[in-house]
Amino acid sequence: NTSGNVLGKNLEVSSAIVYANTSGNVVGENLEAAPPIEGKYECHVYDLDGKNDYHYVTIEKTPNHSMYKWTNRAGALWSLKWQFATETFEVQPDCCYHDDGHVRMGVELALHGVV
């Protein structure tokens, strides 16, 4: 994966587009649990040109807490499932980019566990 680190507060997706966390979430001590990535994110890659509603994202746990839901302002949404073995989130087939190879999402942590 390539990284476009913006002040160490990024969410990295398989396409190497980086979203800065605007929520300031902190990761807990339990390494078997998924990082608490719930929050609002904004992609800054397109700040100068081409930014649209796909670049503003909210990630929430599903009601049964078994997965996360990625939703953007454009209304697109898909599911993310934590994979402890690879320490990544598996992008589920309900993602409109899944067939294009976007099947994993990694999380980059800054100091003190900030996502």
Side-chain angles (χ1 to χ4, degrees):
N1 281 336
T2 57
S3 178
N5 199 0
V6 179
L7 301 178
K9 295 182 181 180
N10 296 320
L11 179 70
E12 184 176 331
V13 294
S14 60
S15 63
I17 295 175
V18 178
Y19 289 76
N21 180 352
T22 59
S23 302
N25 293 336
V26 177
V27 175
E29 296 293 321
N30 183 356
L31 296 179
E32 292 186 9
I37 61 168
E38 300 96 331
K40 295 182 183 293
Y41 296 85
E42 179 180 355
C43 177
H44 291 288
V45 173
Y46 302 98
D47 280 350
L48 299 177
D49 186 36
K51 192 168 230 176
N52 61 46
D53 284 345
Y54 278 83
H55 302 125
Y56 297 90
V57 172
T58 300
I59 298 178
E60 302 172 300
K61 280 189 178 178
T62 59
N64 65 6
H65 296 278
S66 65
M67 290 195 210
Y68 289 88
K69 179 177 70 172
W70 168 295
T71 308
N72 61 38
R73 283 188 190 171
L77 60 96
W78 52 84
S79 305
L80 303 167
K81 184 175 182 181
W82 175 247
Q83 297 296 315
F84 177 70
T86 59
E87 295 185 353
T88 61
F89 288 89
E90 183 179 272
V91 177
Q92 299 301 292
D94 60 348
C95 172
C96 56
Y97 302 111
H98 192 270
D99 290 344
D100 295 329
H102 300 279
V103 297
R104 281 197 178 66
M105 180 186 82
V107 175
E108 219 175 85
L109 303 177
L111 294 176
H112 310 294
V114 176
V115 175

